[in-house]
C-alpha cells in the first residue's frame, strides 16, 4: 500500500506527485486518510519561498480533515470519547514540545519556540514522511489532539477552522470585545469572516468590515457584519469619519487587522478610540517597517495593541463551535474544490485572489 | 488677603510673580494652602511651549500637597473620614467631566476627552484664578477627591506620587507582571523609581533598570532593582543578551519604557519575549514616527503593547501606598527644594537633568 | 400644576393616589414625565414590608422611561449628544455618592454604601417628593446619567432593561462565559430572559434554561435557549444528568441562578463543572441559610462563586444594547399594561406570577 | 541494588519498611534519589484512612526533592537547560493526562479528572513501585516537569514549595490582591506562610493573620504580616471590628482561608468587604455542610468566592520564586527532620500540630 503526496521540490515550480509507502503507525501515532485539505494563503508564501520556516522537499498543507485509518493504540478525542477506525476527525495543526517554559509554565503552546506545524516546518525527508495535508494520507504524531467531526457536516467546511478560524479565535482569546462595542475588521478574507462571527458572539453592536465588496463581504454580512466600507470607494478619512459617526465621535472600541498590509495597520491605529484595542494578525511574512506616531496613536490614547500569531487547541475548539452552529453559511467559504493532483492550480487560484477558500479533495479522481 | 502665584506669561521667559485676591470657596470648593509643589518634566515642556494642551497665562503645577484653609461645606476624604481646616491633603490632579461615556460607562476618567488638569489646561484667566500649584494657594473644584496625608510624613515626599507615581500605577493597573517575572524598566527618572517599587510589589524576580548610573539608579536599587545596565557602557545588543541570559533565552516578560525616546521604544520591542508585554509611558510630547518591524517584533511574537498616559484616583491611591510604606527611601527623591519665587531656577535645574525630583516650597521665604 | 403619584402609606394596603405640586428643577435636576414604569418583583417585596431598605410613605418604582419636561440647565446623554425638552430618555436608577472609596477608588458605584435607588430608599417626604416611577413625574437628581431612547422604539419595552437587564448585565460584566461554553440559567423570569440573550452574545454553545414551560420559556427559546428543562417534569438528578450529557460528563461551565430559592442555589453548585462558575442573583431578600458541602462542591471543584446585586450605568448600557437589537422579541416581555391608578392590581398580578413583565402607563386614563 | 520505602499497609498502623528492586528507567522516566520528603497534613489524613483517593499499600509522600540517579534519555528542566545525573531537582507532583478537555482545551491540568499524584493515588503495587517520596528513591513518569534547584540552597527548604506553596500560588493565580489591599489570612500553617509572602509580593498594604501566636506567626511576621489576631484571645466580633478599623469600615479586600474548619469559612464571609474576595483552600477532606446566609454574605455584598484545590507546574514555579528569594526565612519552616525509618513518628508529630513543617531525610541513618 502506498500514499500519494504532492511535494514542493523547487520553490515556485509545479508540485510533484510522489508515492510513499504507507507506514504502520507507531505507539500513539494515527494514520489519517485526508478527505479535504485547505489551501491557505500561507501555502502560497511557502511555495514562493517567502516563508523562513520551510525547507524542501515539503508536502504542504497544515489544514486538513480526514478519516482514521489506523492507530498505534486506543484513541479518544478531547472530550474523552473513543475514536475508532473510520471516524472523521480534525486535529490541532501545531506540534508543541509540551516541555518548555512556554508550554508548561505559561501554558501557552502557541508561543513554544520548538513548535512546528505539519505542512510548514516538517520536511518530507523526516520519517514517517507523511507530514502534510497535500496528500492521500498524513501520519499524526503521538499526542495529537483530536476533535470528532459530527455526522451530517460536510468535512470540507471544517477545514478553514483549522487555521484561519483558530488564529482569529486566538485574537478573541487574548482580548475580547465587550457587549455593545463597535468592532472594525480590516481585510475580508477567511480570518475576517471568522472575526465577524466571533464579534457577533461577543456582543458587538456595530461590526464594520473594511474591504472590497465581493462574495467575501456577502458572507460577512450574513454572519453579522452591520456595515461594509468598500476600500476602493472610500478614503481613509471617510472611513475614520464613518466609524466616528457610529461611535459618537469616540472611534472603534476594537479593531482587528487581517488585511496583511502596512497601510492597514497604520489605519487601525487611527480608527481605534482612546483606550481601545488594535489586534493585528494579517502580517504573516516580513513587510518591512511601519512608521508609528507613537505619541498621538499609542501613548496619548492609552491604546492597547496585540500581535496575533498561530493558535492552539482551545482556539481550534472555538472555531469549530462557530462552523457547527452555521454549517450552511460556512459552506459558502468553500468556493473552490480541486483534485489532489491539481494542487498547483489551487495555489495559483489562491494567489490570484479568486477564492474565498480552496480545498484539495484527494479522494476525487 | 491675597495669594501669590508664579505665572508663565511668555513661553521660555522667566515666570512672573503675581498677586491674586483670595476668593471665598464656592459650594464644594476647597481653598488649599500649598506646602509643596512638584516641578515635573512636563512643566519644562509647558514652559518651552511644547505642550499643545496649554494656553497663557498659566500658573503651572499639577502636583501638590497642601493644607486645607477653607471649604464650601463639610469635607471627607475618599475613605469617608472628615477633613477639617488645617488638615494636610493631596488630591487627584485631573478634572474629568464625570458625565461622558468614558467617565460613566467605561468608568475610566483618565480617558475623558474633557479631562483637564490643574496647572496644565486651566488658564489663569479662568476664575477662581488659583488653578495651579506654583503658588501659595490653589482652589480645588467641586468633587475634588482627597487623601489625608498621615502625621509624621514630610509632605514634600508625597508630591511625586501625584503624577509620576500615579502614571506608573496606571501602567500596572492596565497590565501587571506576574510572580517570578523578569521586568525591564528603561529610563531611571521618577516614573522608573515607582515602577521598580511596583514591580517588586508585583512579585517580579528580576528587575532590570536600563539607564545611566546616578543617584537615581541608587534609589532604584534600594527599592528592589536587581540589575542596572548602564546605557552609556553597554550596547543595545549587550543589553538584549544580558536580559536573554537572565531569562534562559526567552527575553523579558514585561518591559516598561519611561525613557521618553524613540530609541527606547524600539529597544523595548526587542527586549520583550514572545507573548510578553511592552508598556510605554515615556513619550509625553510628539517625537515623530518610530519605524516598527511589525512582523518580527509584534506579530510573530504575539506581543502586547500598551500606551500609558495620565492616571486617575485609583492610581494616586496605589502610589501613595508605596510612599507611605517606605518614606525614608522616597525622601531621597526630593533632591532639590526651591522657594516659590525661584520657580524659574527650578525649571532650569529640571531641564538640565540635575534633579531626581525638585519641589517648590511656597512657605519658605 | 401638579403631579400624581401612587404611594405606599401602609405595607400591604392598597396604594394611595396623591397629588404633589410640580416643582421647578434645581440646578442639574431634570423633571421627567413618566411614560412607562416597571412593576418589579422587588416592588412586591417592598409593598409587603419585606425590604429592609424602605421606609414609608414611599412612591415605588425604580424602573422607568419618560419624556424630559424641564431641566435646570443644558443636558446631554452619556454619548455627549444634547438632550432637549420632549426627548424620551431612560436613566441609571442608582444614586451613588461619587465620593467614597467604592465610587472613586474601586470605580464600582454599585458597591457604594450610600447608594440609594429611586423608588426604594428615597422616601416620599424627601424633597422634591417625586422620588419614584409610580407617578406622572419623577425628578432626577443632579448628575443623572441619561440614555436617549431611539425613535421607533416603544418606550415600554425599554423598562425591563433598567433593573432586570442591568442586574444580569452586572453578572456578565463580573464574569463572562467563553465561546463554546455550556451555560445553565435557573428560573425563567426577566433576569433569565436577559441572561439567555447575554449568553448567546457571549458565544455559549448550549444555553439550558431550567424552569416551568410557559410564555417565559418561549421567549427564552426565541432569544437563543437551546434546551429547556421543565422543573416540574424532571428531578434534580435528571437535570444534572442532562447537563452532564451535553458536556461529555464535565458539567456546566457557567451557571446563573435567578430563581430566588435556596434550592436553586444548591442545585447550581452541583450543576457546575470543575473550575466552573456559579453566579447567583435571585436571592434579593433574606431566605435563611443554605447548607453547603464545601469540600465537594466548592473546594474540590475549584469552583468560582459570584454574588450579583444591583448594577451601574455600564450595565444599563449593555442591557439597552440587547433590547434595541431585538425590539420585537423584547416587546413580548410586556405582557401586562396597567393604568397608574391600578398600581395595586399590577402588584397583585406580579405577586401571583401571572406576568412576564407588567408596566404602569401613567398617561393612559 | 534495592530501594527502601516506607509503606502504609494498614490504615493507622505504623508504616512498614520494604525493599524494592531498583528498576531501570524506561523511556523518558527518571530515577531520583530522594534527599528530602515533606510530611504533609494530607499524609496524616491518608494514613488515618480519611482520604478517598487512596488505596493500600501506598508509599506516601507527594512533596520531595532529590538527585537524578538515572534517566531514560536526555533531560532538560522547564527552562530548557540540560539536567544531568547528579543534579538536584524538584518536580510537579501531579500526573495529569495531557489529553482531556481540562488539559488541552482549558489548559488547566489541575482540573484533570484523571490527574493522579505521587504518594496519594498511585498504589505501591503499580509498576515501577517507586511511587511516593517516603523512600530512598522515586521513579518519575515520562513527561515529568523538572526545576533545577540552584546551588547553595538546602534542598530540604524547597520541599514545602511543592504542595503548600504551589496550592497557595494557585489561589493567587486565580485571583490576586491589588496594590494597597487589606488581606486576611486564616490559619497560620505552611499554606498561610506562603500566602503572607504572596500577599506582600502582590502589594498588599495590610496583611492580617488570624491564628494562635506561635513560631508559625513569627515566620508570618518576618515575611510581611502586619497584624496577627490571636484566635484564642479575640472573639470573631473583635476580629471583624479590627479588620473594619483597618479598612475605614469596609472590610477586607481579600480573604484566604487555610484553617480548614467550617467556622473559618463562615468567618471569612463576614470579614470580606462588599465586592471583596474569599478564597478557600483549607478544607481538604469532607467536613459536612456549612450554613451560609446567602443574601447577606454573598448576594448583597457582590462577594466573590473561589475554591482552591491542587495546583499545576506554573504554581510550583511561583512558589519556588519565593523560597529562593528568602531561603533564610524559609529554612525556619523546617522545624523537624526525621530519618526515613521514623516516618510514623513524623506523621504523629504533624498530627499533634507540633511542627511547622517536618521532612524525612532518607540519606540520614
Amino acid at each position: 500500500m502506498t500514499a500519494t503526496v504532492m511535494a514542493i521540490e523547487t520553490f515556485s515550480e509545479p508540485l510533484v506527485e510522489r508515492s510513499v509507502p504507507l507506514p504502520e503507525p507507531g505507539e500513539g501515532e494515527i494514520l489519517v486518510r485526508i478527505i479535504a485539505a485547505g489551501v491557505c494563503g500561507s501555502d502560497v508564501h511557502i511555495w514562493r519561498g517567502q516563508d523562513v520556516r520551510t525547507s524542501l522537499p515539503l508536502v504542504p498543507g497544515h489544514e486538513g480533515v480526514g478519516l482514521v485509518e489506523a492507530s498505534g493504540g486506543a484513541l479518544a478525542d478531547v472530550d474523552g470519547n473513543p475514536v475508532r477506525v473510520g471516524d472523521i476527525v480534525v486535529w490541532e495543526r501545531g506540534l508543541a514540545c509540551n516541555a518548555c517554559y512556554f508550554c508548561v509554565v505559561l501554558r501557552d503552546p502557541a508561543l513554544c519556540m520548538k513548535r512546528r506545524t505539519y505542512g510548514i516546518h516538517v520536511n518530507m525527508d523526516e520519517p514517517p514522511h507523511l507530514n502534510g495535508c497535500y496528500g492521500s494520507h498524513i501520519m499524526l504524531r503521538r499526542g495529537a489532539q483530536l476533535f470528532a467531526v459530527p455526522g451530517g457536516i460536510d468535512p470540507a467546511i471544517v477545514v478553514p477552522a483549522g487555521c484561519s478560524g483558530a488564529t482569529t479565535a486566538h485574537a478573541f482569546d487574548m482580548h475580547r470585545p465587550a457587549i455593545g462595542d463597535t468592532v472594525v475588521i480590516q481585510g475580508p478574507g477567511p480570518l475576517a469572516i471568522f472575526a465577524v462571527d466571533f464579534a457577533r458572539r461577543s456582543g458587538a453592536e456595530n461590526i464594520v468590515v473594511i474591504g472590497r465588496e465581493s462574495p467575501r463581504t456577502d458572507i460577512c454580512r450574513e454572519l453579522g457584519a452591520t456595515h461594509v466600507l468598500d476600500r476602493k470607494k472610500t478614503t481613509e478619512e471617510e472611513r475614520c469619519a464613518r466609524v466616528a459617526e457610529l461611535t459618537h465621535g469616540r472611534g472603534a472600541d476594537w479593531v482587528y487587522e487581517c488585511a496583511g498590509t502596512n497601510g492597514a495597520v497604520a489605519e487601525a491605529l487611527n480608527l481605534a478610540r482612546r483606550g481601545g484595542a488594535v489586534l493585528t494578525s494579517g502580517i504573516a511574512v516580513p513587510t518591512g517597517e511601519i512608521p508609528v506616531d507613537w505619541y498621538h496613536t499609542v501613548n496619548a490614547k492609552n491604546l492597547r495593541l496585540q500581535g496575533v500569531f498561530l493558535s492552539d487547541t482551545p482556539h481550534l475548539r472555538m472555531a469549530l463551535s462557530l462552523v457547527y452552529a452555521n454549517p450552511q453559511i460556512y459552506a459558502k467559504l468553500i468556493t473552490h474544490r480541486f483534485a489532489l493532483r491539481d494542487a498547483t492550480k489551487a495555489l495559483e487560484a489562491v494567489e490570484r485572489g479568486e477564492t474565498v477558500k480552496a480545498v484539495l479533495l484527494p479522494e476525487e479522481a
Side-chain angles (χ1 to χ4, degrees), chain A residues 28 56 161 196 228 255 318 325 334 348 350:
Chain A
L56 301 186
V196 167
V228 174
V255 183
M318 290 167 71
I334 311 302
E348 288 165 347
V350 172

Side-chain angles (χ1 to χ4, degrees), chain A residues 45-233:
Chain A
H45 293 138
I46 289 167
W47 179 46
R48 291 299 185 195
Q50 296 162 355
D51 194 317
V52 295
R53 301 172 292 177
T54 296
S55 66
L56 301 186
L58 181 86
V59 179
H62 50 275
E63 307 172 324
V65 58
L67 184 144
V68 174
E69 206 164 275
S71 72
L75 299 178
D77 66 10
V78 301
D79 285 321
N81 297 320
V83 171
R84 300 194 178 81
V85 168
D87 286 351
I88 298 177
V89 294
V90 60
W91 53 90
E92 165 55 29
R93 72 195 187 286
L95 297 160
C97 78
N98 286 321
C100 73
Y101 196 86
F102 293 105
C103 286
V104 303
V105 176
L106 296 177
R107 290 284 173 217
D108 196 347
L111 300 175
C112 173
M113 289 185 184
K114 295 181 186 163
R115 185 183 185 277
R116 304 195 303 163
T117 308
Y118 297 112
I120 297 179
H121 305 77
V122 194
N123 194 290
M124 190 182 163
D125 291 341
E126 179 176 323
H129 309 294
L130 300 173
N131 298 328
C133 296
Y134 283 30
S136 63
H137 292 79
I138 191 170
M139 182 73 82
L140 303 181
R141 300 296 203 274
R142 191 162 70 184
Q145 293 158 7
L146 303 178
F147 294 83
V149 175
I153 296 283
D154 170 8
I157 72 165
V158 175
V159 163
C163 175
S164 309
T167 302
T168 293
H170 192 189
F172 282 80
D173 186 33
M174 289 195 283
H175 186 55
R176 192 173 186 192
I179 303 282
D181 271 4
T182 292
V183 165
V184 175
I185 297 162
Q186 303 166 291
L191 288 163
I193 287 169
F194 279 95
V196 167
D197 201 354
F198 278 120
R200 187 171 51 89
R201 288 168 197 275
S202 298
E205 201 168 280
N206 298 304
I207 302 176
V208 182
V209 172
I210 296 180
R212 243 180 319 165
E213 286 283 357
S214 72
R216 296 168 171 212
T217 50
D218 293 341
I219 298 174
C220 288
R221 279 203 187 81
E222 210 170 341
L223 283 168
T226 56
H227 304 75
V228 174
L229 304 181
D230 192 319
R231 201 164 45 79
K232 294 295 180 193
K233 298 184 184 153

